[in-house]
Each structure stands twice: as C-alpha cells, then as structure tokens.
Amino acid sequence: MAHQIHFNEQTQKHAFFSVKEKAWHNLGQIVSDYPTSQEAIKFAGLDYEVIKLPLYCKTELGQSLEVPNFYSTIRTDTKSVLGVVGKEYQIIQNRDAFSFFDSIVGGTGILFETAGALGNGYGK
C-alpha cells in the first residue's frame, strides 16, 4: 500500500513524525514527547508557506499568456506547484490550521501523536 507521504528533496526527510514508536511505513522521524502544534508542524516538515500566483500558459510561439481567474498554489520552500485554484480561493497556512486546535483548549494544550501528509496549504 502506498503511503503517499511527501519526501522533501531539499531536506531529505519525509513529512511525517510519530511519538515513541515507528509508524507502519517506517518513515519520518520519531520524537520522544508529544509535541505542541507548532512543534508538530516543524517535526512533520509542514513549516512552510503556500502562496497563490497568477497562472500562465505558453503558446505554440513561446509567448506567455495569463490564464484569467486561475492561479497556482506554490510551496515557498521547494517552489513546487501544489495545484490550480480559482480567484476566490484563500490559502490557510498550516500554522493557522493547526493553531485552531490550540485555541479550542486555550493555548498549547493539545499534544499531537502523528502528523504529516496534510500540509498542502489548506484552502477555503
């Protein structure tokens, strides 16, 4: 079964961590204590920004044309294209998505056991 966990070529690490024992796929790093959301993001390799840039295509003559109302979502650390979105799409950064859980418990009270495979810049 494919794990579909992102491998970062720059850091040579998988975007995954687990606490105290290996996960079934044996990927990612093992940490000794349950981390807070900010620590979990870093351990899982999800501590990057996602930006939205205008989408362009090349014509047969090599000209670049902007595709109206469509954008690329890009990871700022690897410059990888994550997807194509419409003009109304708003990026929610990983740190903001995870901090939602912290706000529920009034601070950094939630401790994460595993993380990874998420982090493609959630949107709404």
Side-chain angles (χ1 to χ4, degrees):
M1 174 185 267
H3 52 73
Q4 301 209 1
I5 295 173
H6 175 73
F7 182 74
N8 186 322
E9 296 288 339
Q10 291 177 340
T11 63
Q12 296 292 299
K13 293 182 179 179
H14 284 91
F16 186 88
F17 81 88
S18 58
V19 177
K20 298 182 182 172
E21 56 187 71
K22 290 181 180 180
W24 63 269
H25 44 63
N26 292 321
L27 301 175
Q29 65 175 319
I30 300 170
V31 298
S32 58
D33 294 313
Y34 295 96
T36 64
S37 65
Q38 293 304 307
E39 293 168 334
I41 288 169
K42 190 168 198 88
F43 290 146
L46 302 176
D47 56 338
Y48 57 84
E49 297 282 319
V50 176
I51 58 174
K52 184 171 85 170
L53 298 175
L55 183 64
Y56 290 86
C57 67
K58 283 202 173 183
T59 68
E60 294 173 350
L61 301 175
Q63 299 169 307
S64 289
L65 297 176
E66 186 172 349
V67 180
N69 301 316
F70 286 93
Y71 297 81
S72 298
T73 51
I74 311 287
R75 279 181 65 150
T76 57
D77 62 338
T78 63
K79 309 298 185 242
S80 300
V81 176
L82 299 172
V84 175
V85 298
K87 68 178 181 178
E88 301 299 323
Y89 186 86
Q90 295 179 0
I91 294 170
I92 299 172
Q93 301 298 338
N94 289 329
R95 69 174 175 275
D96 298 327
F98 277 80
S99 69
F100 167 78
F101 296 111
D102 290 337
S103 68
I104 291 173
V105 294
T108 57
I110 291 181
L111 301 176
F112 294 81
E113 184 170 348
T114 59
L118 301 172
N120 286 335
Y122 303 98
K124 62 177 184 173

